[in-house]
Structure formats: structure tokens, C-alpha cells
Amino acid sequence: MLKVRGKGDKAVLVPLPPAVPRAIDRARFGSGCRGRVGHPTVAGRASSSLGIRGVWEALPRITVQRPPHRRAFLMTDPKIDATRPSSARVWNYLLGGKDNFAVDRELGEALRSANPEIAAVAKAQRRFLNQAVTLLAGEVGIRQFLDIGTGLPTADNTHEVAQRAAPESRIVYVDNDPLVLAHARALLTSSPEGETAYVDSDVEDPERILTEAARTLDFSKPVALTMIGILGNVADYAEARSIAERLLDAVPSGSYLAVSDGTSTSARSVESQRVANQSGHPYNLRTPEEIGGYFQGLELLEPGLVPTSLWRPAPGTAPAALDVYCAVGRKP
Ligand SMILES: C[S@@+](CC[C@H](N)C(=O)[O-])C[C@H]1O[C@@H](n2cnc3c(N)ncnc32)[C@H](O)[C@@H]1O
């Protein structure tokens, strides 16, 4: 239930827990919702005379941050299925998070039995994302990020890393998991200078992603596309290549692509894929050459295509190569 307090420019939407009308809520926030620091407001355009539904439906932009009490009833969302594992929640478990169910922990442990390095793979990918975004927002000067396959919010989410280097950075997150959507509304909030938006979409619909992201990002200026641990969800490699190409076609010269994904480079990695597939939750490992294929026509930054754990390691460290490869490429 939502209530309008105040009139005209001072109108504020106040959520009344716990009976939020989820149909309206989803209709409004199902895609392209925007998060900003602050309490729920209808920024300057609401009129209490429209009624609640009128306010929600009339406004293309609502700045909102879910208050912490909303988290308690996120689990009542009928789209969140606690009986089947989800890749976002399994990954959250492997990263040491708490936003997962027993079924996710079971699959996480089965994957760990098959490949004891799987949690290290998840952590290496987060480290790579952090490093790549720090480099792109800092030294390279990119101010727009499209992060596809966001995952559940954790430490150092893309907007936090980018806005640490450049507070005016604009970030669009994309995922298709309902729990990621629910948490993103609450937690993926922006610096006042920048903007953060969330698009609830399948990676296999890049045209929809681009249309929705264009509400926040200016595609006439360079954009960094980050796809970390997501393209293996696309069963057909040719289709995964086509998705990367269609996204890159939409961004101008000077844009970047950062990809990291699991590889079939050891028996234990292949075994973890078999376990995932058997669980009804398939993931498609690629060869390093196939990961390199996403960067066709791009100029790779140093050190090129390498195991993700070896991408610009911290000085004085000698990490082991894991079954996961990455690169960052610039569109010429
Ligand atoms: C392995 S997690 C990686 C999360 C994050 N990028 C990271 O590195 O920590 C994969 C993410 O992709 C999302 N995902 C899986 N299949 C997807 C699809 N077809 N479309 C959009 N997102 C998808 C999952 O919900 C999950 O959040």
C-alpha cells in the first residue's frame, strides 16, 4: 500500500508495509527502474488528485530507495522459487553471501565437490570486475557502464567502484533473477551526482536491454559493457557471440567490453559443468579461444586474454591460473 503525502512539487509517495500491491509495484518497476539515495518520492510531478494508480502510471521516472524493512518480505514474491537453485543465489553462496536458500547451498556444495576451486573462480571474477571498472572509470575516463548479469548485490558493486573514481558515473544493471531485481531496488543506489538504473531482462534480448538502458545512458558517448559470468548461460556459442556483437554495434568508438567466463580447461571444471547440467541448472563452459572470440575487432588492453586470476595481479603476488578467462577490449 502506498500513500501520497503532500501536493504538487512536494508530493511524496510513502510505502505502508506490509501490504504493498505487488502487481502495481512490478508494473512500475519491472524494468528500467531507477535507484537514488533518499526516501521514496515522486519527483516533483505527482498530484494526489491522480490517485495512487494514476501517479504510478503517469510517471516514467520515480526515484526510490527501498527502506530496510522491505527486505523482510522480499521472500513473499511468488516469482522467487526457493525449491529450485538460481545461479545468482548459488553464486552468492559461493561468494560467502547470505541471500540464498538450502537448495542453492546444496548445489553450491555439489559444485565445490566437483571443482574445489569454484569459490576461488567466483572471487577472481569479482576482483576482475573491480579492477576493470576502476581502470575504466579512473585512468581511461569512462563514465557510463552497462553491467549485464549483475548478480546479487555484494561488496564493491559496479556503481560503487565506478562512482568512487568518478561520482558522476551512470550505471545500468541488467539481470533476470527476481531476487536480484528485489535487492537491486533496495541496494544499488547512486551517488547524488550520478545515476543507477536496473533493467529486468534476459541477456538474450540485447535490443530490449539497449532500449531500456538508453533511458539512462547516452549511446553517442563511450560505454563500458561488463559481462562477468553471464555468457555461459547462453547455450549456443554463436548466439553468445551475436549478443556481444549486437551490444558492441550500439556503442561508439572508444567504448569497452570486459568479459570473464568459466572455461573447460581442466577435468574438474568439466565435472562441475556436468553437475550443474544434471541439477537442471546448466552452464556452458567455453574454451579460452571462444572467450577471445567475443573480442573480435577490439584492441585488447594488457595483459590480453588470460586466466582471470592472472589479470593484473597485485604486485608481489603469484596467483594460480583458474578455469576462468577474461579480457578487456576497446572498440577502435
Ligand atoms: C554467475 S552470476 C555472476 C554475477 C556477477 N556478474 C558476478 O560476477 O558476481 C550470473 C548472473 O547472471 C544472471 N543471469 C543468468 N542467466 C541470465 C539471463 N539469461 N539473462 C540475464 N541474466 C542472467 C544470474 O541471475 C546471475 O545474477
Short mmCIF file of all heavy atoms in Angstrom, two decimals, residues 75-130:
data_model
loop_
_atom_site.label_atom_id
_atom_site.label_comp_id
_atom_site.label_asym_id
_atom_site.label_seq_id
_atom_site.Cartn_x
_atom_site.Cartn_y
_atom_site.Cartn_z
N MET A 75 10.84 -12.12 0.29
CA MET A 75 10.70 -13.56 0.06
C MET A 75 9.26 -13.95 -0.27
O MET A 75 9.01 -15.08 -0.61
CB MET A 75 11.17 -14.33 1.30
CG MET A 75 12.60 -14.08 1.66
SD MET A 75 13.67 -14.39 0.24
CE MET A 75 15.19 -13.70 0.83
N THR A 76 8.32 -13.02 -0.12
CA THR A 76 6.94 -13.37 -0.43
C THR A 76 6.66 -13.21 -1.93
O THR A 76 5.58 -13.52 -2.38
CB THR A 76 5.96 -12.47 0.35
OG1 THR A 76 6.19 -11.13 -0.05
CG2 THR A 76 6.16 -12.61 1.84
N ASP A 77 7.63 -12.71 -2.69
CA ASP A 77 7.44 -12.55 -4.14
C ASP A 77 7.25 -13.93 -4.76
O ASP A 77 8.14 -14.79 -4.67
CB ASP A 77 8.67 -11.86 -4.74
CG ASP A 77 8.45 -11.49 -6.21
OD1 ASP A 77 7.70 -12.22 -6.90
OD2 ASP A 77 9.03 -10.50 -6.64
N PRO A 78 6.10 -14.16 -5.40
CA PRO A 78 5.84 -15.51 -5.94
C PRO A 78 6.82 -15.93 -7.02
O PRO A 78 6.96 -17.10 -7.32
CB PRO A 78 4.42 -15.39 -6.51
CG PRO A 78 4.16 -13.94 -6.66
CD PRO A 78 5.00 -13.22 -5.65
N LYS A 79 7.53 -14.96 -7.63
CA LYS A 79 8.49 -15.32 -8.67
C LYS A 79 9.77 -15.92 -8.09
O LYS A 79 10.58 -16.48 -8.80
CB LYS A 79 8.87 -14.07 -9.48
CG LYS A 79 7.87 -13.68 -10.53
CD LYS A 79 8.54 -12.67 -11.43
CE LYS A 79 7.64 -12.14 -12.51
NZ LYS A 79 8.21 -10.91 -13.07
N ILE A 80 9.99 -15.70 -6.79
CA ILE A 80 11.22 -16.21 -6.18
C ILE A 80 10.97 -17.65 -5.76
O ILE A 80 10.21 -17.91 -4.83
CB ILE A 80 11.65 -15.32 -4.99
CG1 ILE A 80 11.98 -13.92 -5.51
CG2 ILE A 80 12.84 -15.93 -4.25
CD1 ILE A 80 12.22 -12.88 -4.45
N ASP A 81 11.59 -18.59 -6.48
CA ASP A 81 11.34 -20.01 -6.28
C ASP A 81 12.44 -20.59 -5.40
O ASP A 81 13.58 -20.74 -5.83
CB ASP A 81 11.32 -20.69 -7.66
CG ASP A 81 10.98 -22.17 -7.57
OD1 ASP A 81 10.88 -22.69 -6.43
OD2 ASP A 81 10.82 -22.81 -8.62
N ALA A 82 12.06 -20.92 -4.17
CA ALA A 82 13.04 -21.46 -3.21
C ALA A 82 13.22 -22.96 -3.36
O ALA A 82 13.97 -23.57 -2.61
CB ALA A 82 12.60 -21.12 -1.79
N THR A 83 12.51 -23.57 -4.33
CA THR A 83 12.62 -25.02 -4.48
C THR A 83 13.61 -25.41 -5.58
O THR A 83 13.96 -26.56 -5.71
CB THR A 83 11.25 -25.65 -4.82
OG1 THR A 83 10.83 -25.20 -6.12
CG2 THR A 83 10.21 -25.29 -3.78
N ARG A 84 14.02 -24.42 -6.39
CA ARG A 84 14.99 -24.71 -7.46
C ARG A 84 16.14 -23.73 -7.33
O ARG A 84 15.93 -22.55 -7.03
CB ARG A 84 14.33 -24.55 -8.83
CG ARG A 84 13.15 -25.50 -9.04
CD ARG A 84 12.55 -25.34 -10.42
NE ARG A 84 13.53 -25.62 -11.46
CZ ARG A 84 13.72 -24.84 -12.53
NH1 ARG A 84 13.01 -23.75 -12.69
NH2 ARG A 84 14.62 -25.14 -13.42
N PRO A 85 17.38 -24.20 -7.56
CA PRO A 85 18.51 -23.27 -7.43
C PRO A 85 18.47 -22.18 -8.50
O PRO A 85 17.92 -22.38 -9.57
CB PRO A 85 19.73 -24.18 -7.62
CG PRO A 85 19.25 -25.44 -8.22
CD PRO A 85 17.78 -25.56 -7.96
N SER A 86 19.03 -21.04 -8.16
CA SER A 86 19.19 -19.97 -9.16
C SER A 86 20.67 -19.61 -9.19
O SER A 86 21.36 -19.64 -8.16
CB SER A 86 18.36 -18.74 -8.80
OG SER A 86 19.13 -17.77 -8.13
N SER A 87 21.17 -19.27 -10.38
CA SER A 87 22.61 -19.04 -10.50
C SER A 87 23.04 -17.84 -9.66
O SER A 87 24.11 -17.84 -9.06
CB SER A 87 23.04 -18.89 -11.95
OG SER A 87 22.82 -17.59 -12.43
N ALA A 88 22.17 -16.82 -9.56
CA ALA A 88 22.53 -15.65 -8.75
C ALA A 88 22.71 -16.05 -7.29
O ALA A 88 23.65 -15.62 -6.61
CB ALA A 88 21.46 -14.58 -8.88
N ARG A 89 21.81 -16.92 -6.78
CA ARG A 89 21.85 -17.28 -5.36
C ARG A 89 22.97 -18.28 -5.08
O ARG A 89 23.61 -18.23 -4.03
CB ARG A 89 20.49 -17.83 -4.92
CG ARG A 89 19.38 -16.77 -5.07
CD ARG A 89 18.02 -17.24 -4.57
NE ARG A 89 17.75 -18.64 -4.73
CZ ARG A 89 16.66 -19.15 -5.31
NH1 ARG A 89 15.74 -18.35 -5.82
NH2 ARG A 89 16.49 -20.45 -5.39
N VAL A 90 23.22 -19.20 -6.03
CA VAL A 90 24.34 -20.14 -5.85
C VAL A 90 25.65 -19.35 -5.82
O VAL A 90 26.53 -19.58 -4.97
CB VAL A 90 24.36 -21.20 -6.98
CG1 VAL A 90 25.64 -22.03 -6.92
CG2 VAL A 90 23.14 -22.09 -6.91
N TRP A 91 25.75 -18.37 -6.72
CA TRP A 91 26.98 -17.56 -6.78
C TRP A 91 27.13 -16.75 -5.50
O TRP A 91 28.23 -16.62 -4.95
CB TRP A 91 26.91 -16.64 -8.01
CG TRP A 91 28.22 -16.48 -8.71
CD1 TRP A 91 28.87 -15.30 -8.95
CD2 TRP A 91 29.04 -17.51 -9.28
NE1 TRP A 91 30.04 -15.54 -9.62
CE2 TRP A 91 30.17 -16.89 -9.83
CE3 TRP A 91 28.93 -18.90 -9.36
CZ2 TRP A 91 31.18 -17.61 -10.47
CZ3 TRP A 91 29.95 -19.61 -9.99
CH2 TRP A 91 31.04 -18.96 -10.53
N ASN A 92 26.02 -16.25 -5.00
CA ASN A 92 26.02 -15.51 -3.74
C ASN A 92 26.54 -16.40 -2.61
O ASN A 92 27.37 -15.98 -1.79
CB ASN A 92 24.60 -15.01 -3.46
CG ASN A 92 24.45 -14.43 -2.07
OD1 ASN A 92 24.08 -15.14 -1.14
ND2 ASN A 92 24.75 -13.15 -1.93
N TYR A 93 26.10 -17.66 -2.61
CA TYR A 93 26.57 -18.61 -1.58
C TYR A 93 28.08 -18.83 -1.71
O TYR A 93 28.81 -18.77 -0.72
CB TYR A 93 25.82 -19.93 -1.72
CG TYR A 93 26.35 -21.01 -0.80
CD1 TYR A 93 26.26 -20.88 0.58
CD2 TYR A 93 26.97 -22.15 -1.32
CE1 TYR A 93 26.77 -21.84 1.43
CE2 TYR A 93 27.48 -23.12 -0.47
CZ TYR A 93 27.37 -22.96 0.90
OH TYR A 93 27.90 -23.92 1.73
N LEU A 94 28.53 -19.04 -2.95
CA LEU A 94 29.97 -19.32 -3.15
C LEU A 94 30.82 -18.10 -2.78
O LEU A 94 31.99 -18.24 -2.39
CB LEU A 94 30.23 -19.74 -4.60
CG LEU A 94 29.64 -21.11 -4.98
CD1 LEU A 94 29.74 -21.35 -6.48
CD2 LEU A 94 30.34 -22.24 -4.21
N LEU A 95 30.23 -16.91 -2.89
CA LEU A 95 30.97 -15.69 -2.52
C LEU A 95 30.86 -15.40 -1.02
O LEU A 95 31.38 -14.39 -0.55
CB LEU A 95 30.43 -14.49 -3.31
CG LEU A 95 30.83 -14.44 -4.79
CD1 LEU A 95 30.00 -13.40 -5.54
CD2 LEU A 95 32.33 -14.13 -4.94
N GLY A 96 30.18 -16.29 -0.29
CA GLY A 96 30.08 -16.10 1.16
C GLY A 96 28.89 -15.25 1.57
O GLY A 96 28.80 -14.81 2.72
N GLY A 97 27.93 -15.03 0.65
CA GLY A 97 26.75 -14.21 0.98
C GLY A 97 25.67 -15.01 1.70
O GLY A 97 25.77 -16.23 1.85
N LYS A 98 24.64 -14.28 2.12
CA LYS A 98 23.56 -14.90 2.91
C LYS A 98 22.22 -14.92 2.16
O LYS A 98 21.22 -15.37 2.70
CB LYS A 98 23.34 -14.10 4.21
CG LYS A 98 24.57 -13.98 5.09
CD LYS A 98 24.63 -15.12 6.10
CE LYS A 98 25.83 -15.01 7.01
NZ LYS A 98 26.94 -15.87 6.58
N ASP A 99 22.23 -14.42 0.91
CA ASP A 99 20.97 -14.32 0.17
C ASP A 99 20.76 -15.56 -0.69
O ASP A 99 20.82 -15.50 -1.93
CB ASP A 99 20.97 -13.05 -0.69
CG ASP A 99 21.08 -11.81 0.18
OD1 ASP A 99 20.32 -11.72 1.16
OD2 ASP A 99 21.93 -10.97 -0.10
N ASN A 100 20.56 -16.69 -0.02
CA ASN A 100 20.40 -17.95 -0.75
C ASN A 100 19.56 -18.91 0.09
O ASN A 100 19.41 -18.70 1.29
CB ASN A 100 21.78 -18.55 -1.06
CG ASN A 100 22.70 -18.52 0.14
OD1 ASN A 100 22.50 -19.25 1.10
ND2 ASN A 100 23.71 -17.64 0.11
N PHE A 101 19.05 -19.94 -0.57
CA PHE A 101 18.22 -20.94 0.09
C PHE A 101 18.99 -22.26 0.18
O PHE A 101 20.03 -22.44 -0.46
CB PHE A 101 16.93 -21.16 -0.69
CG PHE A 101 16.09 -19.92 -0.83
CD1 PHE A 101 15.82 -19.38 -2.08
CD2 PHE A 101 15.56 -19.29 0.29
CE1 PHE A 101 15.03 -18.25 -2.21
CE2 PHE A 101 14.78 -18.15 0.17
CZ PHE A 101 14.52 -17.63 -1.08
N ALA A 102 18.41 -23.23 0.93
CA ALA A 102 19.06 -24.54 1.11
C ALA A 102 19.39 -25.18 -0.24
O ALA A 102 20.47 -25.74 -0.43
CB ALA A 102 18.16 -25.45 1.93
N VAL A 103 18.46 -25.06 -1.18
CA VAL A 103 18.64 -25.69 -2.49
C VAL A 103 19.86 -25.08 -3.23
O VAL A 103 20.58 -25.77 -3.96
CB VAL A 103 17.32 -25.57 -3.28
CG1 VAL A 103 17.05 -24.16 -3.74
CG2 VAL A 103 17.25 -26.54 -4.40
N ASP A 104 20.11 -23.80 -3.00
CA ASP A 104 21.27 -23.14 -3.62
C ASP A 104 22.57 -23.61 -2.94
O ASP A 104 23.58 -23.84 -3.61
CB ASP A 104 21.17 -21.62 -3.48
CG ASP A 104 19.84 -21.09 -4.00
OD1 ASP A 104 19.51 -21.42 -5.15
OD2 ASP A 104 19.15 -20.38 -3.25
N ARG A 105 22.50 -23.74 -1.62
CA ARG A 105 23.70 -24.18 -0.88
C ARG A 105 24.06 -25.61 -1.26
O ARG A 105 25.22 -25.96 -1.39
CB ARG A 105 23.47 -24.04 0.63
CG ARG A 105 23.24 -22.58 1.05
CD ARG A 105 23.23 -22.40 2.53
NE ARG A 105 22.00 -22.77 3.18
CZ ARG A 105 20.89 -22.00 3.27
NH1 ARG A 105 20.90 -20.80 2.73
NH2 ARG A 105 19.81 -22.42 3.90
N GLU A 106 23.01 -26.44 -1.45
CA GLU A 106 23.27 -27.84 -1.86
C GLU A 106 23.98 -27.89 -3.21
O GLU A 106 24.96 -28.60 -3.37
CB GLU A 106 21.94 -28.61 -1.97
CG GLU A 106 21.52 -29.26 -0.69
CD GLU A 106 20.04 -29.62 -0.73
OE1 GLU A 106 19.54 -30.01 -1.81
OE2 GLU A 106 19.38 -29.49 0.32
N LEU A 107 23.47 -27.12 -4.16
CA LEU A 107 24.12 -27.13 -5.48
C LEU A 107 25.52 -26.51 -5.36
O LEU A 107 26.48 -27.02 -5.97
CB LEU A 107 23.28 -26.37 -6.52
CG LEU A 107 23.90 -26.28 -7.91
CD1 LEU A 107 24.29 -27.66 -8.47
CD2 LEU A 107 22.96 -25.58 -8.90
N GLY A 108 25.66 -25.46 -4.57
CA GLY A 108 26.97 -24.85 -4.38
C GLY A 108 27.97 -25.86 -3.86
O GLY A 108 29.12 -25.95 -4.33
N GLU A 109 27.54 -26.68 -2.89
CA GLU A 109 28.45 -27.69 -2.33
C GLU A 109 28.74 -28.80 -3.34
O GLU A 109 29.87 -29.31 -3.40
CB GLU A 109 27.88 -28.27 -1.03
CG GLU A 109 28.02 -27.32 0.17
CD GLU A 109 29.43 -26.73 0.31
OE1 GLU A 109 30.42 -27.46 0.11
OE2 GLU A 109 29.54 -25.52 0.60
N ALA A 110 27.74 -29.17 -4.13
CA ALA A 110 27.96 -30.20 -5.17
C ALA A 110 28.98 -29.68 -6.19
O ALA A 110 29.87 -30.42 -6.64
CB ALA A 110 26.65 -30.57 -5.84
N LEU A 111 28.86 -28.41 -6.53
CA LEU A 111 29.82 -27.83 -7.49
C LEU A 111 31.22 -27.77 -6.87
O LEU A 111 32.22 -28.04 -7.52
CB LEU A 111 29.37 -26.41 -7.89
CG LEU A 111 28.08 -26.33 -8.71
CD1 LEU A 111 27.64 -24.88 -8.88
CD2 LEU A 111 28.26 -26.99 -10.08
N ARG A 112 31.26 -27.45 -5.58
CA ARG A 112 32.56 -27.37 -4.89
C ARG A 112 33.22 -28.76 -4.80
O ARG A 112 34.44 -28.88 -4.88
CB ARG A 112 32.38 -26.77 -3.50
CG ARG A 112 33.68 -26.18 -2.93
CD ARG A 112 33.62 -26.01 -1.42
NE ARG A 112 32.52 -25.24 -0.93
CZ ARG A 112 32.54 -23.92 -0.74
NH1 ARG A 112 33.63 -23.25 -1.02
NH2 ARG A 112 31.48 -23.31 -0.25
N SER A 113 32.36 -29.81 -4.62
CA SER A 113 32.93 -31.18 -4.58
C SER A 113 33.53 -31.53 -5.92
O SER A 113 34.58 -32.17 -6.00
CB SER A 113 31.85 -32.22 -4.26
OG SER A 113 31.34 -32.00 -3.01
N ALA A 114 32.83 -31.11 -7.00
CA ALA A 114 33.34 -31.41 -8.34
C ALA A 114 34.59 -30.59 -8.64
O ALA A 114 35.54 -31.09 -9.24
CB ALA A 114 32.26 -31.12 -9.38
N ASN A 115 34.55 -29.33 -8.24
CA ASN A 115 35.68 -28.44 -8.52
C ASN A 115 35.97 -27.60 -7.27
O ASN A 115 35.33 -26.57 -7.05
CB ASN A 115 35.36 -27.53 -9.71
CG ASN A 115 36.52 -26.58 -10.00
OD1 ASN A 115 37.58 -26.66 -9.37
ND2 ASN A 115 36.32 -25.68 -10.95
N PRO A 116 36.93 -28.04 -6.45
CA PRO A 116 37.21 -27.34 -5.19
C PRO A 116 37.61 -25.87 -5.39
O PRO A 116 37.58 -25.10 -4.43
CB PRO A 116 38.36 -28.15 -4.57
CG PRO A 116 38.29 -29.50 -5.23
CD PRO A 116 37.74 -29.26 -6.60
N GLU A 117 37.91 -25.49 -6.63
CA GLU A 117 38.33 -24.10 -6.87
C GLU A 117 37.18 -23.19 -7.27
O GLU A 117 37.40 -22.01 -7.59
CB GLU A 117 39.39 -24.07 -7.98
CG GLU A 117 40.70 -24.70 -7.54
CD GLU A 117 41.74 -24.67 -8.65
OE1 GLU A 117 41.35 -24.49 -9.82
OE2 GLU A 117 42.92 -24.83 -8.32
N ILE A 118 35.96 -23.70 -7.22
CA ILE A 118 34.87 -22.91 -7.81
C ILE A 118 34.62 -21.59 -7.07
O ILE A 118 34.32 -20.56 -7.69
CB ILE A 118 33.57 -23.75 -7.96
CG1 ILE A 118 32.57 -23.02 -8.86
CG2 ILE A 118 32.95 -24.09 -6.63
CD1 ILE A 118 32.08 -23.81 -10.00
N ALA A 119 34.77 -21.61 -5.74
CA ALA A 119 34.57 -20.35 -5.00
C ALA A 119 35.70 -19.36 -5.34
O ALA A 119 35.46 -18.15 -5.43
CB ALA A 119 34.52 -20.62 -3.50
N ALA A 120 36.89 -19.90 -5.56
CA ALA A 120 38.01 -19.03 -5.97
C ALA A 120 37.74 -18.42 -7.34
O ALA A 120 38.10 -17.26 -7.60
CB ALA A 120 39.31 -19.82 -5.97
N VAL A 121 37.06 -19.18 -8.22
CA VAL A 121 36.69 -18.65 -9.53
C VAL A 121 35.73 -17.47 -9.35
O VAL A 121 35.89 -16.40 -9.95
CB VAL A 121 36.04 -19.76 -10.40
CG1 VAL A 121 35.32 -19.18 -11.60
CG2 VAL A 121 37.09 -20.78 -10.83
N ALA A 122 34.71 -17.67 -8.49
CA ALA A 122 33.72 -16.60 -8.25
C ALA A 122 34.43 -15.35 -7.71
O ALA A 122 34.15 -14.22 -8.15
CB ALA A 122 32.66 -17.08 -7.26
N LYS A 123 35.36 -15.56 -6.79
CA LYS A 123 36.07 -14.40 -6.19
C LYS A 123 37.00 -13.74 -7.20
O LYS A 123 37.12 -12.50 -7.23
CB LYS A 123 36.85 -14.86 -4.95
CG LYS A 123 35.91 -15.09 -3.79
CD LYS A 123 36.57 -15.68 -2.57
CE LYS A 123 35.46 -16.11 -1.59
NZ LYS A 123 35.81 -17.21 -0.74
N ALA A 124 37.64 -14.54 -8.04
CA ALA A 124 38.54 -13.96 -9.06
C ALA A 124 37.73 -13.09 -10.03
O ALA A 124 38.20 -12.03 -10.47
CB ALA A 124 39.24 -15.08 -9.83
N GLN A 125 36.50 -13.51 -10.32
CA GLN A 125 35.66 -12.71 -11.24
C GLN A 125 35.28 -11.38 -10.60
O GLN A 125 35.26 -10.34 -11.26
CB GLN A 125 34.42 -13.51 -11.64
CG GLN A 125 34.75 -14.81 -12.33
CD GLN A 125 33.81 -15.14 -13.48
OE1 GLN A 125 34.10 -14.83 -14.62
NE2 GLN A 125 32.69 -15.76 -13.17
N ARG A 126 34.94 -11.39 -9.32
CA ARG A 126 34.60 -10.13 -8.63
C ARG A 126 35.81 -9.20 -8.59
O ARG A 126 35.69 -8.00 -8.76
CB ARG A 126 34.13 -10.39 -7.18
CG ARG A 126 32.83 -11.09 -7.00
CD ARG A 126 31.63 -10.44 -7.62
NE ARG A 126 31.38 -9.06 -7.30
CZ ARG A 126 30.34 -8.36 -7.77
NH1 ARG A 126 29.48 -8.94 -8.58
NH2 ARG A 126 30.16 -7.10 -7.45
N ARG A 127 36.97 -9.79 -8.36
CA ARG A 127 38.19 -8.98 -8.32
C ARG A 127 38.45 -8.35 -9.70
O ARG A 127 38.78 -7.16 -9.81
CB ARG A 127 39.38 -9.86 -7.88
CG ARG A 127 40.70 -9.14 -7.85
CD ARG A 127 41.84 -10.12 -7.58
NE ARG A 127 43.09 -9.58 -8.08
CZ ARG A 127 43.50 -9.68 -9.34
NH1 ARG A 127 42.77 -10.30 -10.24
NH2 ARG A 127 44.64 -9.14 -9.72
N PHE A 128 38.26 -9.15 -10.74
CA PHE A 128 38.47 -8.64 -12.11
C PHE A 128 37.48 -7.51 -12.40
O PHE A 128 37.86 -6.46 -12.95
CB PHE A 128 38.29 -9.79 -13.11
CG PHE A 128 38.20 -9.32 -14.54
CD1 PHE A 128 39.28 -8.71 -15.17
CD2 PHE A 128 37.01 -9.47 -15.26
CE1 PHE A 128 39.18 -8.27 -16.49
CE2 PHE A 128 36.91 -9.03 -16.58
CZ PHE A 128 38.00 -8.42 -17.19
N LEU A 129 36.22 -7.70 -12.03
CA LEU A 129 35.21 -6.65 -12.27
C LEU A 129 35.66 -5.35 -11.58
O LEU A 129 35.65 -4.28 -12.19
CB LEU A 129 33.85 -7.10 -11.72
CG LEU A 129 32.73 -6.05 -11.79
CD1 LEU A 129 32.33 -5.76 -13.23
CD2 LEU A 129 31.49 -6.51 -11.01
N ASN A 130 36.08 -5.49 -10.34
CA ASN A 130 36.52 -4.33 -9.57
C ASN A 130 37.70 -3.64 -10.25
O ASN A 130 37.70 -2.41 -10.45
CB ASN A 130 36.89 -4.83 -8.15
CG ASN A 130 37.15 -3.69 -7.20
OD1 ASN A 130 37.61 -2.62 -7.61
ND2 ASN A 130 36.88 -3.91 -5.92
#
